[in-house]
Every structure is written in structure tokens, then in C-alpha cells.
Amino acid sequence: MTKSVSPLGLLGMAALAAGCGTSSAELIVSYDSPPAWPEAYEAPGDGLGALVPVDVMAYDSETGEPLPNVKVTVWVEDDTLWPVPSEALVIVDPDECPDCEPWWDAQRDEFIEELPYRASLSRYTDEDGLVSLYVFVDAFPGPDADYGNFEDLAVSVSMGTVEETFVLTPR
């Protein structure tokens, strides 16, 4: 059975996809906390870090309905962490790849293929209004990071004019 959409309905969906549709559009961000963060992880670019899973849901707060095909952008302002698309995650066995320089993911307790740095990542929500990704934390900054006194790291998520920020705190 094919579902038809009126031209006005298409216009409304296009406006939502552009992020400027309705004032009732909202974001819910769910994420895991980074694992215990020893001082040994504090050398940026050392191949030690943690992939923090992040799920973002775009929905209409008036109806509770998910918003599919909406552009969601995740960005950071610190070069010690960056958003990673789920499809870019490749788990590797260092014994089977002698030419690789895999990174250790403390969150998953596995080796992963090196991840290129990026300050932002844009994805479109699926039919359930969801986007799943990771944020790779390479190091936590801080005036005394060498002594375990780390600062939190902010991650921002936006859908047009709707924006949420969450903070990753080392344990």
C-alpha cells in the first residue's frame, strides 16, 4: 500500500528537514559516560581513548512523533575529542594486522582502526527520528590533567535552530 502526501505536507517535511519547520521540534540526547580516566590516557594522539556512544532523537514535542529525515549536526570546540559516524568504526586485531597502528578504545575494551579528526559531523535521522554515532575522547584538558584534575568537555547537537549541549565528565 502506498501512502500519499499532499504538496503542503511535502513542504512541511522539507521545512522540518531544513531545521526551520516547527517550534515544537525537540532533541533528546542520550550518551554513556566515559570510563574511568587514568592519567595514562592524557597524551593527545597517543592512540588511547574512548568511544562514547551517543544517540540523538528528533521529535515533535506536541505530538510525540519522531521526525524522520531531519539533519542533525554534532560538533565540538576542543581538538581532543571528535564525532565519529557509526559506520566508520572498524574493530581490528593487532595480531592480524601488523601494518596497522590501531587505537585502544577503553570504552569498549577493543582495538579500533585509527579515526580521522573532524570538528563536526552531520547525519539525517532515520524513520524513527534517530541518529546513532560516537564521540571519540582522546584526552581531557585541564590545568593539572597530569595529576588527574581534568576539565569537562562540551559536545553540541543541533537541528536547525534547536540546539542541545551535553558535557562529558571523566570519572
Side-chain angles (χ1 to χ4, degrees), residues 12 24 31 68 73 79 88 90 103 107 129-130 132-133 137 145 157 164 168-169:
S24 62
Y31 60 94
T73 301
D79 63 1
V90 178
W103 290 3
Q107 187 83 352
L130 296 173
S132 294
L133 60 121
V137 181
V157 180
E164 293 289 329
L168 296 176
T169 303

Side-chain angles (χ1 to χ4, degrees), residues 2-161:
T2 304
K3 192 175 194 181
S4 66
V5 179
S6 72
L8 287 177
L10 286 174
L11 183 61
M13 284 191 268
L16 281 173
C20 60
T22 175
S23 62
S24 62
E26 295 288 336
L27 290 170
I28 296 175
V29 180
S30 173
Y31 60 94
D32 286 350
S33 295
W37 201 262
E39 295 168 25
Y41 292 178
E42 274 310 288
D46 63 358
L48 298 172
L51 276 168
V52 176
V54 177
D55 291 315
V56 179
M57 180 181 192
Y59 73 101
D60 184 320
S61 64
E62 290 178 4
T63 66
E65 293 295 315
L67 298 176
N69 202 33
V70 173
K71 185 177 180 179
V72 172
T73 301
V74 178
W75 77 93
V76 296
E77 294 187 17
D78 191 295
D79 63 1
T80 61
L81 77 160
W82 54 93
V84 176
S86 297
E87 66 272 11
L89 179 63
V90 178
I91 298 169
V92 296
D93 180 347
D95 296 332
E96 294 178 9
C97 186
D99 297 331
C100 299
E101 292 188 34
W103 290 3
W104 180 253
D105 171 19
Q107 187 83 352
R108 299 166 55 107
D109 197 26
E110 296 179 306
F111 285 100
I112 58 173
E113 211 171 75
E114 183 177 349
L115 301 166
Y117 174 79
R118 67 180 79 216
S120 68
L121 174 68
S122 294
R123 290 288 184 264
Y124 285 88
T125 58
D126 65 14
E127 63 275 356
D128 297 318
L130 296 173
V131 171
S132 294
L133 60 121
Y134 295 95
V135 172
F136 185 78
V137 181
D138 188 26
F140 280 95
D144 294 321
D146 291 336
Y147 301 102
N149 298 322
F150 307 116
E151 294 178 2
D152 298 339
L153 291 169
V155 180
S156 298
V157 180
S158 75
M159 172 181 60
T161 59

